[in-house]
Amino acid sequence: MSLNVCTSEFFLKSYEIATALENRSHKVRYSDSVENGSIIFSLSGVAFLLMDTKECLMSTEEIFLAKIEKFINIHQNSFLVLSAALHGPEERKLMFRIQQRFLGCNLRILPVHNTVNAINLMCTIAKTTSKPYIDSVCYRMITAKAYIIEQSPVWKTLQKIKLSSDSVNPN
């Protein structure tokens, strides 16, 4: 599946995300108008902000929180991808502070360990939120629901005893 990806030039060149996306047959387009560290899958409308937990921990909280806030104000369907080789106590505290600050917002946090992990998550989310996939998933869910109802022993028992609103009537 080919997705059109809009991304910021600085971050992706330094972290080789663009190369990994291109290896998966995605078209990568660079834009100066996109926030550094952002990846936007235009066909699905999903936006990702990639941040390194070490950099967040070394900078002031106001700086990275302002960047996240600006990002979620621009993008409705937004994900924060926090990268760390190991998500230890400090990294979990950072995620907790971010979750507390943006509670009730449209931000979802994805902890990742490396570039491959990040690319796999982003591509999976972008693919499953694109229009053809959503339609297919909805159809499958409706089909599964119908199958479960048809094959359910409880449903069959209710049909056998012909339980309806009339049989509940005490008169």
Side-chain angles (χ1 to χ4, degrees):
M1 178 177 167
S2 180
L3 297 172
N4 189 15
V5 179
C6 181
T7 177
S8 64
E9 188 170 347
F10 169 75
F11 186 86
L12 293 182
K13 281 189 177 177
S14 62
Y15 286 98
E16 301 175 5
I17 299 276
T19 305
L21 285 169
E22 287 172 344
N23 288 341
R24 289 183 166 221
S25 302
H26 294 285
K27 296 175 186 173
V28 177
R29 181 173 55 94
Y30 297 101
S31 174
D32 291 332
S33 63
V34 176
E35 181 74 29
N36 277 342
S38 298
I39 298 177
I40 303 159
F41 287 83
S42 57
L43 293 179
S44 61
V46 179
F48 297 92
L49 177 62
L50 288 91
M51 296 180 85
D52 185 47
T53 54
K54 285 181 188 177
E55 291 175 15
C56 291
L57 292 170
M58 291 181 354
S59 71
T60 62
E61 193 167 310
E62 296 84 30
I63 292 173
F64 71 83
L65 290 179
K67 184 175 183 174
I68 295 169
E69 187 162 0
K70 180 181 175 188
F71 179 75
I72 64 172
N73 286 335
I74 295 170
H75 304 286
Q76 268 189 328
N77 198 2
S78 56
F79 292 85
L80 173 63
V81 180
L82 279 175
S83 179
L86 176 67
H87 293 281
E90 287 182 4
E91 290 80 7
R92 286 193 300 270
K93 285 179 188 175
L94 174 68
M95 281 189 272
F96 181 70
R97 287 197 319 262
I98 294 170
Q99 285 174 333
Q100 280 184 314
R101 169 65 180 83
F102 297 104
L103 188 63
C105 293
N106 58 340
L107 178 71
R108 275 111 15 187
I109 300 172
L110 301 172
V112 297
H113 297 289
N114 53 40
T115 301
V116 174
N117 191 218
I119 293 294
N120 287 339
L121 281 170
M122 290 187 300
C123 289
T124 300
I125 291 169
K127 185 177 180 181
T128 57
T129 56
S130 66
K131 179 79 173 122
Y133 249 74
I134 287 177
D135 292 343
S136 174
V137 168
C138 288
Y139 174 75
R140 289 179 186 177
M141 293 296 287
I142 290 168
T143 306
K145 180 180 172 184
Y147 177 78
I148 290 169
I149 288 172
E150 287 177 12
Q151 301 301 319
S152 168
V154 173
W155 186 258
K156 287 180 181 180
T157 304
L158 290 174
Q159 287 177 330
K160 283 181 185 176
I161 62 172
K162 296 182 182 181
L163 186 61
S164 67
S165 58
D166 294 337
S167 63
V168 178
N169 189 356
N171 293 334

